[in-house]
Amino acid sequence: MKRLFLFALLGTLLATTVSCDKIEKDQYLIPSGVSGEWFESHASIPKVQRAMVEKYTGVRCVNCPAADEIIHAALEQYNGKLIAVAIHSGVFGRPLGNDPDLRTEDGTQWYETLVGTSTGLPAALVNRGELFNPLGGVNDRIDPIVNNDPKVTMLITSESIVDNEFFSDIHVGFEQDIAEELTLTLLLYEDNIHTTQSIAGGGDIEDYVQNHVLRKVYTDIWGLPVSVARTQGKQYFIRLNLSLPAGCVKDNCHLVAFIAEKESHKILNVAECKL
């Protein structure tokens, strides 16, 4: 069990820094990274089917800037129905010069399991379907997902507690009965990270802007159990207490939550919010 939550310390912070209505919400707070208690939700959850593109990339990947352009164009085209996460991986992710290393332990495990170290970069997955090279386009992978009605709906919000401590509420609604066991994964990505980046044709860009960079997975990398009645019409939420990773700029960070099938890791739906 990682990232154990210090309940006594949080209680002190809540008592001294937030109003009474937020203290009452303390009953919902649970440790991040473990299976906590789910509560009935009465939130208005948008009935929207979204897709998530995971781009496996690196500052030494000369073709990755071209893939960035394709994915950026898709994000604008799908207008909120597509969420992107860039996972810096493997030898192509080794930093150039004195730049920070954008690889993470959790991202490395995803890379080794879902992509494989023998696969060239860039590589991508949409909702953890078939692996492909995003230089060939992404629309034909996204359209069949976002044009369907969702089986599961999602809403995510976050609220500060004090300084770099905050909590996130993840709401899940069921539009139909689901037999498969499900998991919830929560991660944080950061925009506007300036690094050196190798480019096609040789040479480097000294001030390249990296966006959607995976910085932390708060749950277990394969998610925490969605331990609720997975029946049509039901809605639940769970609250996670979180900390901003060291070195991250809060104003540049977003939270992403997704529901996936436990066995296949196939993503059913995803949602994001600004931190």
Side-chain angles (χ1 to χ4, degrees), residues 254-272:
H254 293 244
L255 291 172
V256 174
F258 62 83
I259 295 290
E261 295 178 350
K262 181 178 179 179
E263 294 301 320
S264 68
H265 305 310
K266 177 184 176 182
I267 294 173
L268 299 185
N269 214 338
V270 58
E272 75 171 321

Side-chain angles (χ1 to χ4, degrees), residues 196-217:
T196 305
Q197 172 71 51
S198 296
I199 57 174
D204 300 327
I205 299 175
E206 293 186 359
D207 191 24
Y208 186 83
V209 179
Q210 310 280 354
N211 290 314
H212 314 110
V213 178
L214 175 68
R215 301 294 266 165
K216 189 179 186 70
V217 179

Side-chain angles (χ1 to χ4, degrees), residues 162-179:
V162 61
D163 296 330
N164 290 328
E165 304 292 323
F166 57 98
F167 62 80
S168 177
D169 288 347
I170 302 108
H171 300 260
V172 179
F174 293 90
E175 295 300 301
Q176 58 182 260
D177 294 352
I178 296 179

Side-chain angles (χ1 to χ4, degrees), residues 27-31 34-39 227-228 237-239:
Q27 62 178 309
Y28 301 124
L29 290 172
I30 65 164
V34 301
S35 57
E37 187 174 358
W38 290 80
F39 294 85
S227 50
V228 299
F237 84 98
I238 194 168
R239 177 169 292 180

Side-chain angles (χ1 to χ4, degrees), residues 143-158:
D143 285 341
I145 295 172
V146 301
N147 291 333
N148 283 329
D149 293 330
K151 296 180 179 179
V152 173
T153 57
M154 295 191 69
L155 172 69
I156 180 172
T157 63
S158 69

Side-chain angles (χ1 to χ4, degrees), residues 223-238:
L224 59 84
V226 181
S227 50
V228 299
R230 301 181 298 275
T231 53
Q232 184 177 10
K234 294 289 189 179
Q235 290 191 178
Y236 303 92
F237 84 98
I238 194 168

Side-chain angles (χ1 to χ4, degrees), residues 49-53 81-84 126-127 142 145-146 269-270:
Q49 177 64 61
R50 306 180 192 89
M52 185 176 88
V53 56
K81 287 190 173 184
L82 178 65
I83 294 167
V126 175
N127 279 19
I142 299 167
I145 295 172
V146 301
N269 214 338
V270 58

